[in-house]
Amino acid sequence: MAAFLRKPLKLALVQLASGADKTVNLSHARSKVLEAAQAGARLIVLPECFNSPYGTQYFPKYAETLHPSPPTKEQSPSYHALSAIAAEANAYLVGGSIPELETSSKKYYNTSLVFSPSGSLIGTHRKTHLFDIDIPGKISFKESDVLSPGDHLTVIDLPEYGKIGLAICYDIRFPEAAMIAARKGAFLLVYPGAFNTTTGPLHWSLLGRARAVDNQSYVALCSPARDVNASYQAYGHTLIADPSANILSEAEDSETIIYADLSDEAIVNIRKGIPIYTQRRFDLYLDVSEGQN
Ligand SMILES: NC(=O)CCC(=O)C(=O)O
């Protein structure tokens, strides 16, 4: 069986505490990413909306312009900070997500930027499924009041290691995207996310483990730390599941970094033992990865 993960990889997820001041958030993210790199992590992940509070009222205020690429420092301080942090850490960096304003269409997106250890941008993902829910008496949220959905699924090649699938938070509820990334060879599915204290306890861990067991891939969910004074309280519980859907590491709700050592053997062994990859019945149902480039 071909290697999915070409060599062992230490993964770090930073459950970052951020507030209203973007400059402070960027500088705090830098110190936590460097701490993770110092501990040996070579792939480091930040949370959804890592440099701002999360909420529709905040997206326009914190939005940055990413096109034409590369943007200027004025257009996107976060782009430049993340690029510099990745280079300083000498690690791959999934820069959580930031609100993006595409000036030509005047549309806002929830966008993740991924940088290589040399600080080059190697991938982006615009959240494709917007978080529009209404659970009476509990939580009502409508990202689509402000945001537009992305129109691409995202798989990124980390040359020394292999491929990762990247999506954002609510995207995890749609198993097709994860399955497509895994069938394209992703060893890891990464979700910067910010579930809340209603749906978090219900589904966060379940969804992480579900995507792992469906796809026999590693899964990483990276949340902001909970801020009890925020209008939207993130669930926290950043976690890493292995390809057998065991939780390798899980945070509580305060700021922390969690780590896991990923290996190809864990993927190969579960796929040998429970060979769903060769048992699918595409004569009975569609292969969702068919036709996806
Ligand atoms: N930021 C998000 O997309 C939140 C998703 C969420 O909480 C959910 O239950 O799904």
Side-chain angles (χ1 to χ4, degrees):
M1 210 179 280
F4 300 97
L5 175 54
R6 292 183 203 112
K7 60 180 185 184
L9 170 64
K10 188 181 275 293
L11 169 67
L13 309 185
V14 180
Q15 183 162 291
L16 193 74
S18 35
D21 186 328
K22 190 192 281 188
T23 308
V24 170
N25 294 336
L26 287 173
S27 139
H28 187 49
R30 172 178 171 272
S31 72
K32 300 310 283 183
V33 169
L34 293 181
E35 181 185 329
Q38 191 65 35
R42 285 295 158 263
L43 173 59
I44 302 169
V45 181
L46 290 166
E48 183 177 28
C49 290
F50 78 95
N51 69 13
S52 65
Y54 177 73
T56 48
Q57 70 275 38
Y58 300 112
F59 296 142
K61 177 167 174 227
Y62 286 86
E64 302 183 15
T65 295
L66 301 171
H67 293 97
S69 188
T72 64
K73 277 195 175 159
E74 290 64 40
Q75 287 170 322
S76 184
S78 301
Y79 177 106
H80 289 276
L82 289 168
S83 165
I85 295 168
E88 192 177 358
N90 190 28
Y92 288 97
L93 179 59
V94 177
S97 75
I98 60 168
E100 175 198 353
L101 170 62
E102 186 179 69
T103 42
S104 55
S105 62
K106 298 191 173 58
K107 286 183 174 170
Y108 292 99
Y109 296 94
N110 186 339
T111 303
S112 182
L113 301 172
V114 182
F115 291 88
S116 74
S118 64
S120 306
L121 183 72
I122 54 167
T124 63
H125 177 76
R126 284 174 169 167
K127 188 173 189 174
T128 45
H129 303 88
L130 297 181
F131 177 44
D132 288 358
I133 67 165
D134 183 17
I135 305 176
K138 298 278 188 188
I139 177 169
S140 182
F141 201 98
K142 202 156 180 234
E143 274 192 323
S144 67
D145 278 345
V146 177
L147 301 180
S148 296
D151 60 5
H152 282 90
L153 302 179
T154 304
V155 175
I156 299 169
D157 192 31
L158 314 183
E160 304 94 297
Y161 295 105
K163 294 178 188 161
I164 61 168
L166 175 63
I168 300 173
C169 204
Y170 197 63
D171 283 336
I172 197 174
R173 290 189 178 274
F174 301 86
E176 293 86 349
M179 187 165 285
I180 289 166
R183 289 188 63 78
K184 286 179 168 180
F187 65 87
L188 167 69
L189 307 169
V190 179
Y191 298 92
F195 271 44
N196 51 79
T197 51
T198 298
T199 62
L202 262 180
H203 292 151
W204 170 261
S205 168
L206 177 67
L207 284 164
R209 296 189 65 211
R211 296 297 81 86
V213 80
D214 287 347
N215 298 297
Q216 299 177 320
S217 304
Y218 286 100
V219 172
L221 310 188
C222 186
S223 170
R226 188 173 311 161
D227 173 357
V228 290
N229 298 311
S231 55
Y232 181 97
Q233 290 188 24
Y235 178 52
H237 289 264
T238 289
L239 66 82
I240 303 167
D242 78 6
S244 300
N246 299 305
I247 300 218
L248 295 180
S249 185
E250 179 172 351
E252 304 270 338
D253 55 27
S254 54
E255 182 169 86
T256 188
I257 306 176
I258 65 165
Y259 299 92
D261 291 306
L262 314 190
S263 75
D264 196 53
E265 290 72 52
I267 302 174
V268 169
N269 287 344
I270 188 69
R271 291 187 189 194
K272 261 196 201 138
I274 307 178
I276 57 173
Y277 269 76
T278 55
Q279 293 170 330
R280 286 219 162 79
R281 293 290 309 275
F282 293 131
D283 55 328
L284 300 180
Y285 42 78
L286 292 175
D287 176 356
V288 290
S289 67
E290 194 66 28
Q292 298 282 331
N293 50 32

